Amino acid sequence: MDKPILKDTLKLFDCFDSVKSRSMFGGFGIFSGETMFALVVKNKLHLRANAKNIEQFKKADLTPYVYEKRGFPVVTKHFAIPDTWWNTPEMIIEHARGSLDGANNDKETKSKVGPSRIKDLPNLRLANERMLKKVGIDTVDKLVEVGAIDAYKALLDTHDNNLNIELLWALEGAISGRHWSVISETRRGELLGLLP
């Protein structure tokens, strides 16, 4: 379905480093290295919006790609370019360069900020996030503030003291950004000494 437009897009974006495509969102994500900056879907090229170009895209009446996930619409950051833009490939490249720069900046900012959800911390999963939420620990900041030992104690209360001790190591590792298995024996001893 999207093969001709995909071929034209990859050829046009050959001026960027390591351009490739991957199947996603029902179409093909266009990447430079590991950064996705465009999308080919439903026979249209969509460029990624960011803080710098979103107003330009809206003024030009570009519309974002929307797909369904579990019956709900998901609005992406990728805006369909009009067919007339293909008459001026330089313009597409200029806008694509802005999309790529924005995507790279967003990626860098995200890596500095760190995970926004508990489940995205090292050692933890969605089930752990749900358990913690039930005891009032619903953000990464709150978990850091409470600390591993108090979070574990709160979970013990709701689970009738029936929790694996490895969850304590997992919480400690999550807060310090390490895998639980590298928590030293000394630190494990300190944590155990704080338990009731």
Side-chain angles (χ1 to χ4, degrees):
M1 165 177 122
D2 296 309
K3 296 288 185 186
I5 192 94
L6 176 63
K7 186 179 171 189
D8 292 344
T9 298
L10 291 173
K11 188 176 176 185
L12 179 66
F13 291 158
D14 195 37
C15 56
F16 299 122
D17 290 335
S18 309
V19 171
K20 59 192 172 222
S21 66
R22 284 189 209 146
S23 204
M24 55 195 346
F25 302 131
F28 298 91
I30 309 298
F31 292 76
S32 174
E34 293 306 310
T35 305
M36 182 173 160
F37 66 99
L39 176 70
V40 171
V41 65
K42 297 195 174 178
N43 291 315
K44 290 263 185 201
L45 170 61
H46 299 69
L47 296 177
R48 188 181 192 278
N50 56 60
K52 288 184 179 176
N53 64 14
I54 184 79
E55 289 309 314
Q56 283 180 305
F57 285 1
K58 286 180 178 177
K59 279 180 188 168
D61 283 331
L62 306 189
T63 55
Y65 174 59
V66 180
Y67 69 98
E68 252 188 40
K69 187 175 183 180
R70 296 187 194 109
F72 293 98
V74 177
V75 181
T76 71
K77 292 181 177 184
H78 295 85
F79 285 68
I81 67 163
D83 292 338
T84 54
W85 283 22
W86 284 100
N87 298 331
T88 51
E90 313 78 41
M91 186 168 78
I92 298 174
I93 290 170
E94 183 185 329
H95 282 289
R97 188 166 278 118
S99 293
L100 178 57
D101 289 345
N104 278 325
N105 288 340
D106 290 350
K107 203 172 179 181
E108 193 176 312
T109 302
K110 193 174 180 181
S111 71
K112 285 178 185 171
V113 171
S116 60
R117 288 189 55 182
I118 290 171
K119 72 173 184 66
D120 298 326
L121 291 170
N123 314 312
L124 302 181
R125 303 184 321 263
L126 184 58
N128 304 125
E129 182 178 81
R130 288 178 177 154
M131 287 166 65
L132 288 162
K133 193 172 187 173
K134 285 180 182 174
V135 296
I137 302 168
D138 54 0
T139 65
V140 171
D141 289 342
K142 184 78 173 169
L143 177 60
V144 171
E145 180 189 320
V146 169
I149 202 72
D150 287 336
Y152 186 75
K153 285 178 185 175
L155 291 171
L156 277 175
D157 290 344
T158 61
H159 288 79
D160 300 323
N161 293 326
N162 191 18
L163 283 179
N164 190 318
I165 195 66
E166 285 181 359
L167 181 56
L168 177 56
W169 318 145
L171 290 166
E172 176 71 9
I175 290 169
S176 59
R178 299 176 286 170
H179 190 271
W180 67 268
S181 64
V182 298
I183 306 296
S184 71
E185 289 301 322
T186 306
R187 181 61 183 149
R188 290 183 191 204
E190 289 169 0
L191 291 168
L192 286 172
L194 296 170
L195 286 176

